[in-house]
Amino acid sequence: MDDILKELPKKALEKSAENKKFFTKLRKKPPKNLDYVMQELHEDEFENTDCLHCANCCKTTGPLFTNADIERIAKYLRLKPQKFIATYLRIDEEQDYVLQKVPCVFLGADNYCSIYDVRPKACREFPHTDRKKFQQISNLTLKNVAICPAAFNIVEAMKKNIRLK
């Protein structure tokens, strides 16, 4: 897995222009069955991908924390929401709550998440490849292919399986 993660940013950069072109066409005229196709590609990839062998998302990026996430996680940790914010979060340039630092403080050496059952929505949905109206998050997906081997593989499968005019 280490070799794959080391090569991933380079491979994503090599595919960047091709991916941008594909997603531009996808946004203009998404196939009617796109959500179905994406669900299938996502499920196929995650039959072969075990996130516990990777956890690169937790090691290199931080999720956005919604107010609901903050309330839920703070309660789980038996902290007041303001104490949770002061201890673990900061406000980024877009005025969103994010982790103070990465790797994620809740990630264990075994790649298990200590708050898995109450993790942020952004973590539960990552890499967002099974999201409805997938074409609307193409910019996010273009970033995620450099972080997540599964997202990279799903985008490659998309380009083979979805014919765009």
Side-chain angles (χ1 to χ4, degrees):
M1 181 54 71
D2 289 340
D3 291 341
I4 292 168
L5 292 177
K6 199 166 80 178
E7 290 295 313
L8 190 60
K10 180 181 165 206
K11 286 172 67 177
L13 187 60
E14 288 169 0
K15 298 281 187 173
S16 179
E18 179 183 310
N19 289 346
K20 284 179 186 172
K21 186 177 176 182
F22 177 82
F23 279 110
T24 298
K25 287 181 180 180
L26 186 70
R27 274 193 309 271
K28 285 181 183 169
K29 193 164 170 94
K32 286 186 178 16
N33 66 341
L34 180 62
D35 289 346
Y36 173 78
V37 171
M38 290 310 300
Q39 186 70 42
E40 201 170 271
L41 292 173
H42 178 90
E43 287 172 9
D44 287 350
E45 178 60 30
F46 281 98
E47 282 179 17
N48 303 310
T49 298
D50 181 355
C51 294
L52 290 174
H53 288 116
C54 179
N56 199 43
C57 51
C58 306
K59 294 172 184 172
T60 62
T61 62
L64 299 181
F65 286 75
T66 65
N67 289 331
D69 293 333
I70 292 167
E71 294 281 336
R72 186 179 60 257
I73 298 166
K75 182 178 179 183
Y76 179 82
L77 296 174
R78 295 188 172 96
L79 296 172
K80 297 237 180 270
Q82 280 311 115
K83 177 69 173 165
F84 174 76
I85 291 168
T87 305
Y88 299 107
L89 306 181
R90 66 179 176 83
I91 295 176
D92 71 4
E93 53 282 344
E94 293 168 1
Q95 304 306 303
D96 292 315
Y97 282 110
V98 296
L99 291 169
Q100 288 178 6
K101 60 185 177 179
V102 290
C104 179
V105 67
F106 302 110
L107 181 67
D110 56 2
N111 286 345
Y112 277 87
C113 174
S114 64
I115 61 166
Y116 187 80
D117 291 337
V118 294
R119 68 197 184 279
K121 181 180 182 216
C123 297
R124 284 193 309 270
E125 295 179 354
F126 192 85
H128 314 284
T129 47
D130 60 346
R131 194 156 140 182
K132 295 212 181 309
K133 298 184 180 173
F134 176 79
Q135 72 278 6
Q136 295 177 349
I137 61 160
S138 57
N139 289 338
L140 178 62
T141 303
L142 289 169
K143 289 178 186 170
N144 289 344
V145 296
I147 298 165
C148 176
F152 182 91
N153 292 340
I154 290 167
V155 168
E156 291 304 301
M158 281 178 69
K159 292 185 296 189
K160 290 179 185 141
N161 288 290
I162 298 172
R163 297 288 164 230
L164 300 172
K165 294 176 179 155

